[in-house]
């Protein structure tokens, strides 16, 4: 009969755990050892060494988890990028709405309770607003915005035989100007109401704290020399000279 030490791979110290686990993994097809146990026990008793990371791998920026769609379809997202870029274009002062992730900010706002008017009174009675009053809108913000995006494409197709994102900048400006003037009806709602919402959200997305998805890398603040969210200005407030500070976001307060 085979000796016990030969059967189970016992060494002189009586330890067979490494060989048992390795042989069990091989018997099961090698999957366990390759994916889990192999990393713990290795083969041949030698530790596997990984090649050192290159300088490029160390410098690779981390992906921004906020830059993900929560509400728009990809086509709606692209239309929003195009429209907001015409309202807040890139120029010699800095990036425009597209590079500032304004469309991501809008997407996240419409996906939030704000998008369904959670804190607004939405019931009647409804009256025609006076010229000095804001019109009471019966439709939810998220639905109004989607109607507006569809209206941009429909109107662009009727006028230029193309969807909004395919138009030249001047043509997009012409469409947006007519929407601003209320020259297009969105299922009973004036296009001017949609344009007002689009413009407000564009400005918010360029200057809100980056935690909300827009104002990428605080570049919107940097253009305005706005210092962001700081704990205090004790040293700067007494200075007679303007002191330019690097912007800080709400994230900078983590750990305080």
């Amino acid at each position: 009969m085979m000796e016990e030490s030969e059967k189970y791979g016992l060494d002189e110290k009586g330890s067979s755990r490494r060989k048992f686990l390795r042989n069990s993994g091989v018997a099961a097809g090698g999957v366990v050892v390759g994916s889990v146990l192999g990393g713990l026990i290795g083969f041949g008793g030698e530790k596997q060494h990984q090649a050192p990371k290159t300088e490029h791998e160390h410098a690779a920026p981390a992906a921004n988890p906020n830059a993900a769609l929560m509400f728009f379809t990809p086509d709606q997202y692209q239309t929003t990028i195009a429209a907001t870029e015409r309202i807040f274009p890139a120029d010699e002062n800095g990036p425009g709405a597209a590079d500032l992730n304004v469309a991501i900010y809008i997407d996240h706002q419409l996906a939030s309770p704000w998008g369904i008017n959670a804190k607004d009174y939405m019931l009647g009675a409804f009256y025609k607003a006076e010229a000095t009053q804001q019109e009471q809108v019966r439709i939810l913000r998220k639905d109004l915005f989607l109607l507006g995006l569809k209206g941009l494409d429909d109107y662009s197709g009727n006028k230029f035989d193309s969807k909004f994102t395919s138009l030249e900048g001047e043509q997009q400006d012409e469409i947006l100007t007519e929407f601003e003037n209320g020259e297009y009806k969105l299922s009973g709602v004036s296009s001017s109401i949609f344009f007002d919402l689009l413009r407000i959200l564009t400005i918010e997305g360029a200057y809100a704290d980056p935690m909300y998805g827009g104002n990428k890398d605080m570049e919107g603040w940097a253009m305005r020399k706005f210092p962001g969210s700081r704990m205090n200005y004790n040293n700067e407030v007494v200075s007679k000279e303007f002191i330019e500070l690097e912007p800080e976001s709400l994230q900078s307060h983590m750990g305080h």
Side-chain angles (χ1 to χ4, degrees):
M1 178 180 288
M2 183 183 295
E3 293 294 332
E4 195 74 12
S5 60
E6 294 178 350
K7 181 179 179 180
Y8 294 106
L10 291 171
D11 56 20
E12 62 273 12
K13 296 182 180 179
S15 174
S16 63
R17 178 175 177 81
R18 182 183 300 275
K19 290 184 179 179
F20 172 75
L21 290 174
R22 182 173 63 190
N23 293 338
S24 298
V26 172
V31 176
V32 175
V33 171
S35 61
V36 181
L37 295 179
L40 297 176
I41 64 176
F43 287 100
E46 296 294 331
K47 183 177 180 180
Q48 299 294 324
H49 294 282
Q50 295 181 344
K53 292 185 177 181
T54 65
E55 180 180 351
H56 175 72
E57 289 175 325
H58 283 296
N64 180 4
N66 281 341
L69 295 181
M70 301 170 63
F71 178 75
F72 290 139
T73 65
D75 285 344
Q76 292 165 348
Y77 175 59
Q78 293 300 323
T79 303
T80 304
I81 291 176
T84 55
E85 182 69 14
R86 300 312 300 172
I87 294 175
F88 197 102
D91 58 18
E92 65 278 3
N93 295 311
D99 290 331
L100 290 172
N101 278 356
V102 165
I104 291 292
Y105 169 83
I106 296 175
D107 171 87
H108 291 189
Q109 291 300 303
L110 296 177
S112 73
W114 183 86
I116 59 172
N117 300 66
K119 295 185 178 181
D120 296 346
Y121 179 81
M122 298 294 293
L123 303 177
F126 295 94
Y127 298 96
K128 180 176 176 57
E130 300 294 335
T132 56
Q133 295 176 318
Q134 179 68 38
E135 184 173 347
Q136 183 182 358
V137 182
R138 308 185 191 196
I139 189 172
L140 300 178
R141 292 187 185 99
K142 67 180 186 67
D143 295 328
L144 170 61
F145 205 92
L146 294 184
L147 275 178
L149 295 180
K150 184 178 185 301
L152 288 177
D153 274 338
D154 290 345
Y155 195 39
S156 299
N158 293 335
K159 188 160 187 168
F160 296 109
D161 196 27
S162 184
K163 62 181 182 179
F164 185 79
T165 53
S166 299
L167 301 181
E168 298 294 331
E170 292 76 11
Q171 294 173 322
Q172 292 177 339
D173 289 345
E174 185 176 339
I175 295 292
L176 290 172
T177 298
E178 293 176 2
F179 266 58
E180 181 182 14
N181 295 332
E183 298 177 18
Y184 187 80
K185 289 292 182 182
L186 303 169
S187 297
V189 179
S190 173
S191 60
S192 64
I193 297 177
F194 162 71
F195 181 85
D196 288 345
L197 180 62
L198 173 66
R199 177 172 51 192
I200 290 171
L201 288 174
T202 298
I203 296 171
E204 288 180 0
Y207 297 121
D209 192 277
M211 69 174 290
Y212 298 105
N215 190 14
K216 181 183 177 183
D217 298 328
M218 298 178 284
E219 292 186 64
W221 290 346
M223 286 188 286
R224 295 282 186 173
K225 294 183 171 54
F226 178 67
S229 173
R230 288 178 172 268
M231 300 298 286
N232 65 71
Y233 300 91
N234 291 341
N235 297 327
E236 294 80 13
V237 73
V238 296
S239 174
K240 295 182 179 180
E241 303 294 330
F242 176 75
I243 300 177
E244 185 171 348
L245 301 172
E246 289 295 322
E248 290 185 2
S249 69
L250 291 172
Q251 187 184 38
S252 67
H253 304 316
M254 296 295 291
H256 284 280

